[in-house]
Amino acid sequence: QVQLVESGGGLVQAGGSLRLSCAASRSIFDIDVVGWYRQAPGKQRELVAKITRGCSTNYADSVKGRFTISRDNAKNTVYLQMNSLKPEDTAVYYCNAALLRWSANYWGQGTQVTVSS
């Protein structure tokens, strides 16, 4: 079992920045992949960024160059730094932990990000 708690969401103007945090209840070294997903009203939940145990990263094309995912193993926390925010980034952002050995996925409660024009 992995518990995840997201924080850092809020309301910002276009062009602003936010940093989201995902705090895990166990060492993130034990988690194969941590991903940030988002879901806007009426849309499917989509992958925004992910980071592996080996710190390999992947980003959705829509956020490349603007968002950065990182991890702090000492704090068992994964971050999503979001710069140059756009109104289309507005969504609930969720943290996900994937443990491939167990075919298990764990989700946080989500944090709202709203970007005004």
Side-chain angles (χ1 to χ4, degrees):
Q1 183 70 227
V2 179
Q3 292 179 317
L4 304 171
V5 179
E6 302 104 324
S7 62
L11 173 64
V12 298
Q13 288 188 304
S17 298
L18 286 172
R19 189 179 74 161
L20 306 184
S21 299
C22 173
S25 62
R26 64 187 295 172
S27 173
I28 56 176
F29 180 80
D30 296 331
I31 303 172
D32 293 302
V33 184
V34 176
W36 281 100
Y37 293 73
R38 67 187 181 188
Q39 187 166 23
K43 294 186 177 181
Q44 189 82 353
R45 187 173 298 185
E46 65 176 351
L47 176 68
V48 176
K50 62 181 180 180
I51 187 166
T52 69
R53 184 188 298 108
C55 290
S56 297
T57 59
N58 287 281
Y59 298 91
D61 288 341
S62 60
V63 307
K64 286 181 179 178
R66 300 188 298 120
F67 291 10
T68 302
I69 190 169
S70 62
R71 56 191 280 179
D72 186 333
N73 292 336
K75 296 182 178 180
N76 292 339
T77 300
V78 173
Y79 303 97
L80 184 68
Q81 178 67 46
M82 305 186 295
N83 298 325
S84 302
L85 283 162
K86 304 175 180 179
E88 49 263 45
D89 295 319
T90 296
V92 178
Y93 283 70
Y94 297 91
C95 184
N96 171 268
L99 282 66
L100 302 182
R101 176 182 177 181
W102 309 109
S103 298
N105 283 276
Y106 301 92
W107 294 91
Q109 81 288 348
T111 184
Q112 176 71 46
V113 172
T114 302
V115 184
S116 65
S117 59

